[in-house]
Amino acid sequence: MLLDIKNIKKTLKNNHVLKGIDLSIEKGEVVAIIGPSGSGKTTLLRNINFLETADSGMMKFRDQQIDMAKPSKEKILWTRRHMAMVFQNYNLFKNKTALENISEGLIFGQNMEKKTAESLAEAALNQVGLIDKKDFYPSQLSGGQQQRIGIARATVLNPDIVLFDEPTSALDPELVGTVLRDMKQLAEKGQTMIVVTHQMSFARNVADRVIFFADGEIIEQGNAEEVFDHPQNDRTRKFLSAIAEDY
Amino acid sequence: MKLSRIITTLLSGLPVTLTLLVFSFIFAAAIGLGIAWLSLRNSAVCYNISRLYLGLVRGTPPLLMLLLAYYGLPKLFLLVGININDWSKLLFGIVGLSVGWSGYLSEAFRSAYLSVDQGQYEAALVVGMNPSDAFWRIIMPQTVLIALPNIENLVIGLVKATSLVYVIGLVDMYSSATDLSNQNQGVYQLEIFVVLALIYWMIVLAIEWVFRSIKKEYQYVTV
Amino acid sequence: MFDFRFAINSFPKILSVAPTTIVLSIIATLIGLILAILIVIIRERKIKVLDSIAAIYVSFIRGTPIIVQLYVVYYGLPQLLVALRGMGINTNSNGLPVILIAILAYSFNASANISESIRSAYHSVDYQQYEAAVSVGMKPTRAMTRIVVPQLITNLIPNFSNLFLDLIKDTAIVYNIGIVEIMAKANIMSSLGFKYIETYLDALIIYVFICWFFAKLFQIFEIIARKRISHTQEFV
């Protein structure tokens, strides 16, 4: 087991955002989390890398046992240096070029030499076909380009797990495809991923496991076929049929 | 009187004007950062102290601030047994202007800091930077760039405020102009002050040019 | 070493001239506002020649200390009047009241600063607001006065408030040409007793109170404007 979370709870303004969730992730697994907006999916991700602190919960990540309500500074930093995250709004550093966005984490998160970091960053840009944009600032790039650099920035760190927080939700429809393609390639390489998404095609075709999440709890989970084609729970069925009308 | 004589006399005060400008700005920025830091901490006490300071400093005319520094500071220091009466007037001028401008600068930093996207800090953390690297490499540069237009206005305001140091007897460009005008029993007064205005204008235009160049250099960061 | 009695006795005397400071500031700001509106119209309509002159005027005023501007008007106005008389226009340059000179200098100063604020408030109104107004059939001038200007005014108030407070503080130098306002009175009281810090602290209290009062007043204006004029609820 690479990541094992037990009974994580989080309350915001008397609102139970996470109601005691258990979640285990195997190495190499691709987990898609789907569910209605505001159900706590993003909060779950943000608690895993301590951008928010849970009220209670235990987490075992690799060989480290961490109290999610009282993580030490060292454990927070250690966790973040073994995980990476891709944001809905990309959050590329506005004052750094495409290349610097990718090398920054290597230099200041992993204490790598600048030269080595830059050549790794160039290789990562090459891989996503954006090497000609290496000296561009985020404001000069399209949303799709920014998000693909966001993914490169995360994966270049060689993390044990990459957390994706609705990576395609802010993109224009025609740009979604390129980003999903990058994510699929990553999954095929065996990268462990937790993906919060509204892209049902991705959840169905790429994910090893699909979790349906609503009102701060996991309603049901299983492989794509189980969840999409034979949902057991009424709420899952309602959600899936509501979405089907959209597409 | 020759124009060249007016110009050289006025320019003899330029070093004092520029010294006041540079040092007052540096100290004002340092104090301003401190006050901004105080007001952004999650503490009601710190916040109220910073508001009180801002209310006092921003409600005081710069001229009065200079006078208070010049006459008040020695008395204040004497209370703790230190005699600073023989400090140079330049020092009092710098203190008065620094305190006066610190309030404006702290507000410029504060509002710029608040307008930096929180996601920038989070992104720095999730790539494994420690909080202080995240602050100094990502948040601070963006804060300064966002604050730049305000800082430009404040620097220009400071250039103009240096002309007030005559009240504590410092001889800057403005003071040289009044001296010259008094020496001539009232002749050429208009010419002297028009030339003086033009010199200040040139300085301000030069400052605007510098800021324009910086903004152009970083045009893709601040959009 | 700090003479409280002197400070307290001086306070009402200094306070008694506060109206001079306030009235001078208000009149100069009002005249400045009118000039500023003219400047903005000239610059936004890009009227030939006048446009460039207005731009240079604004840059010059913003680039020079108010005390220098004050002296340029102080020495320049009489000379201008003499020159006009030379051209056959009946003017009298003798005995120009200094308050008139001060009002003129501060009005010029205010006009440049206010014009820049109006322009930035104008540019911050979404252009689509104007397009929407025209597209529902309003005449362009109507669209301006009914849709754009009300939004502009709410955007302008915070900046205008700052400029007005700056102007109040800038009037602390008019004692140089012989007008007795707060700073002048403080200086006079000081020289009577050779006690400086006492009267300057009195002046400080008065200035801080005046600034606090007007800042609050403008905040209230802003709230009212947002409710009545643009119906937006974002309070700054």
Side-chain angles (χ1 to χ4, degrees):
Chain A
M1 202 73 74
L2 178 61
L3 177 73
D4 192 16
I5 292 170
K6 287 267 183 289
N7 199 23
I8 171 173
K9 286 183 182 161
K10 173 83 178 173
T11 311
L12 273 176
K13 292 177 195 155
N14 299 326
N15 196 358
H16 297 285
V17 191
L18 300 175
K19 297 175 183 165
I21 289 160
D22 297 334
L23 178 67
S24 307
I25 310 284
E26 298 284 351
K27 192 171 182 317
E29 205 179 4
V30 176
V31 175
I33 303 180
I34 61 171
S37 310
S39 58
K41 309 179 300 274
T42 293
T43 309
L44 177 64
L45 284 196
R46 292 169 60 85
N47 275 281
I48 293 175
N49 64 7
F50 305 109
L51 288 180
E52 292 173 27
T53 311
D55 300 335
S56 66
M58 289 301 290
M59 173 167 127
K60 185 168 176 289
F61 178 39
R62 288 173 38 143
D63 57 345
Q64 297 281 327
Q65 196 74 34
I66 305 167
D67 182 348
M68 296 187 80
K70 294 190 276 298
S72 67
K73 278 184 185 166
E74 293 72 29
K75 294 228 167 137
I76 292 176
L77 199 58
W78 178 86
T79 306
R80 287 179 182 153
R81 285 182 178 174
H82 291 90
M83 279 186 194
M85 186 172 195
V86 175
F87 295 88
Q88 179 175 358
N89 298 316
Y90 338 128
N91 285 346
L92 292 193
F93 305 128
K94 290 180 190 171
N95 58 330
K96 304 281 172 191
T97 62
L99 186 82
E100 289 166 343
N101 259 283
I102 300 175
S103 65
E104 198 74 4
L106 292 169
I107 301 169
F108 292 91
Q110 309 197 338
N111 302 315
M112 197 179 274
E113 287 235 1
K114 194 167 177 232
K115 276 248 169 67
T116 333
E118 275 173 2
S119 65
L120 276 177
E122 281 189 17
L125 276 176
N126 243 327
Q127 207 164 18
V128 291
L130 290 171
I131 189 70
D132 55 323
K133 306 283 189 219
K134 72 177 180 145
D135 293 324
F136 283 41
Y137 285 96
S139 68
Q140 297 169 282
L141 300 168
S142 74
Q145 290 167 337
Q146 289 189 56
Q147 191 59 299
R148 294 170 68 201
I149 289 166
I151 294 172
R153 172 173 77 174
T155 53
V156 79
L157 301 167
N158 203 13
D160 292 314
I161 302 181
V162 184
L163 311 173
F164 288 84
D165 182 12
E166 304 193 17
T168 55
S169 296
L171 292 173
D172 290 336
E174 72 272 20
L175 300 174
V176 171
T178 56
V179 171
L180 288 181
R181 205 177 320 127
D182 284 2
M183 289 169 62
K184 190 170 179 223
Q185 271 175 15
L186 206 57
E188 282 161 358
K189 269 192 244 159
Q191 173 72 57
T192 315
M193 300 158 61
I194 305 178
V195 185
V196 169
T197 186
H198 291 299
Q199 287 292 328
M200 296 306 141
S201 64
F202 179 85
R204 182 184 271 275
N205 299 325
V206 184
D208 301 312
R209 176 152 55 113
V210 178
I211 294 177
F212 176 66
F213 201 96
D215 292 328
E217 29 188 2
I218 292 175
I219 305 294
E220 73 177 286
Q221 55 180 312
N223 63 34
E225 207 186 84
E226 287 163 358
V227 174
F228 284 111
D229 300 334
H230 310 288
Q232 301 298 307
N233 190 294
D234 208 34
R235 287 158 86 181
T236 319
R237 277 194 287 271
K238 270 193 188 142
F239 175 76
L240 289 173
S241 66
I243 281 196
E245 284 167 19
D246 273 355
Y247 287 89
Chain B
M1 183 164 44
K2 277 202 198 123
L3 189 62
S4 62
R5 163 123 189 271
I6 297 180
I7 293 175
T8 47
T9 311
L10 298 189
L11 285 181
S12 70
L14 185 63
V16 171
T17 297
L18 291 182
T19 310
L20 283 165
L21 173 67
V22 171
F23 286 98
S24 302
F25 180 77
I26 292 170
F27 289 122
I31 303 171
L33 279 176
I35 298 296
W37 175 79
L38 213 57
S39 71
L40 287 165
R41 299 196 45 172
N42 281 330
S43 147
V45 178
C46 290
Y47 180 79
N48 287 327
I49 292 174
S50 73
R51 294 322 289 181
L52 183 69
Y53 180 86
L54 287 182
L56 283 177
V57 164
R58 294 200 304 173
T60 309
L63 183 93
L64 185 55
M65 196 60 93
L66 284 163
L67 287 167
L68 285 168
Y70 187 62
Y71 291 107
L73 220 50
K75 290 201 172 189
L76 221 53
F77 271 71
L78 220 49
L79 283 180
V80 289
I82 303 168
N83 184 1
I84 58 165
N85 273 315
D86 49 355
W87 271 16
S88 125
K89 285 180 175 174
L90 197 59
L91 228 44
F92 289 109
I94 290 171
V95 170
L97 291 173
S98 306
V99 172
W101 252 249
S102 62
Y104 300 111
L105 275 164
S106 102
E107 282 299 88
F109 289 135
R110 197 178 96 93
S111 66
Y113 174 83
L114 289 175
S115 65
V116 174
D117 186 358
Q118 178 68 23
Q120 295 286 308
Y121 184 63
E122 292 183 350
L125 293 181
V126 302
V127 299
M129 283 195 207
N130 63 45
S132 87
D133 278 339
F135 179 77
W136 288 107
R137 295 195 53 83
I138 306 298
I139 304 302
M140 201 55 188
Q142 294 188 32
T143 302
V144 170
L145 285 172
I146 293 171
L148 217 52
N150 273 329
I151 292 175
E152 176 180 358
N153 281 333
L154 290 173
V155 171
I156 290 171
L158 192 54
V159 172
K160 297 189 272 180
T162 58
S163 67
L164 301 172
V165 294
Y166 71 90
V167 288
I168 61 170
L170 266 171
V171 183
D172 69 324
M173 284 203 299
Y174 169 78
S175 243
S176 311
T178 48
D179 287 352
L180 187 62
S181 134
N182 292 337
Q183 279 166 29
N184 290 289
Q185 280 93 31
V187 202
Y188 299 114
Q189 283 164 325
L190 180 61
E191 288 79 353
I192 293 168
F193 282 99
V194 168
V195 170
L196 179 64
L198 291 176
I199 297 175
Y200 276 113
W201 192 19
M202 293 301 127
I203 296 174
V204 168
L205 289 178
I207 289 171
E208 285 176 347
W209 177 80
V210 170
F211 275 90
R212 220 173 11 250
S213 314
I214 302 175
K215 278 186 241 169
K216 195 166 177 218
E217 180 73 27
Y218 293 101
Q219 58 179 321
Y220 297 116
V221 177
T222 45
V223 284
Chain C
M1 57 183 277
F2 185 85
D3 190 340
F4 271 104
R5 181 181 290 270
F6 184 68
I8 290 167
N9 288 341
S10 305
F11 189 82
K13 290 173 188 150
I14 299 174
L15 187 63
S16 71
V17 292
T20 311
T21 296
I22 295 171
V23 170
L24 171 60
S25 305
I26 290 175
I27 295 176
T29 302
L30 290 177
I31 299 174
L33 180 61
I34 295 165
L35 290 175
I37 292 169
L38 283 176
I39 293 171
V40 172
I41 293 172
I42 288 170
R43 294 192 69 183
E44 292 302 323
R45 290 241 172 120
K46 301 207 164 54
I47 299 171
K48 267 186 196 152
V49 188
L50 284 180
D51 176 26
S52 316
I53 293 172
I56 292 169
Y57 168 83
V58 170
S59 167
F60 176 78
I61 299 258
R62 284 164 61 84
T64 50
I66 177 71
I67 193 165
V68 179
Q69 292 163 14
L70 185 65
Y71 273 113
V72 169
V73 175
Y74 184 72
Y75 293 125
L77 190 62
Q79 292 198 18
L80 183 70
L81 294 180
V82 168
L84 287 176
R85 190 159 45 186
M87 286 159 40
I89 298 166
N90 189 16
T91 56
N92 183 4
S93 65
N94 296 326
L96 267 177
V98 280
I99 189 75
L100 192 70
I101 287 169
I103 288 173
L104 261 184
Y106 283 93
S107 301
F108 290 148
N109 187 272
S111 69
N113 293 322
I114 296 174
S115 80
E116 287 296 280
S117 283
I118 296 178
R119 266 166 32 106
S120 85
Y122 172 70
H123 291 299
S124 72
V125 176
D126 192 347
Y127 185 67
Q128 289 175 356
Q129 292 285 314
Y130 174 80
E131 288 181 337
V134 179
S135 76
V136 296
M138 280 190 203
K139 284 182 191 156
T141 45
R142 202 118 221 276
M144 271 291 171
T145 53
R146 288 198 58 84
I147 305 297
V148 177
V149 171
Q151 297 187 40
L152 182 160
I153 287 173
T154 34
N155 290 346
L156 178 66
I157 292 174
N159 245 326
F160 191 81
S161 166
N162 283 337
L163 291 178
F164 180 68
L165 298 186
D166 283 346
L167 194 111
I168 288 178
K169 289 179 272 174
D170 278 346
T171 60
I173 56 159
V174 290
Y175 68 84
N176 277 295
I177 62 167
I179 295 172
V180 181
E181 38 63 75
I182 299 170
M183 202 61 224
K185 197 72 182 174
N187 278 330
I188 293 167
M189 301 303 298
S190 286
S191 57
L192 286 178
F194 289 104
K195 289 179 176 127
Y196 296 95
I197 201 70
E198 290 80 0
T199 58
Y200 292 149
L201 279 177
D202 287 345
L204 175 99
I205 293 167
I206 296 170
Y207 276 117
V208 169
F209 176 77
I210 294 175
C211 287
W212 173 85
F213 174 80
F214 281 104
K216 279 279 167 245
L217 199 64
F218 277 109
Q219 273 174 17
I220 293 168
F221 283 162
E222 190 186 351
I223 291 172
I224 294 171
R226 287 207 185 279
K227 272 192 188 152
R228 290 266 174 87
I229 304 180
S230 54
H231 304 283
T232 51
Q233 291 295 321
E234 319 156 35
F235 301 136
V236 177

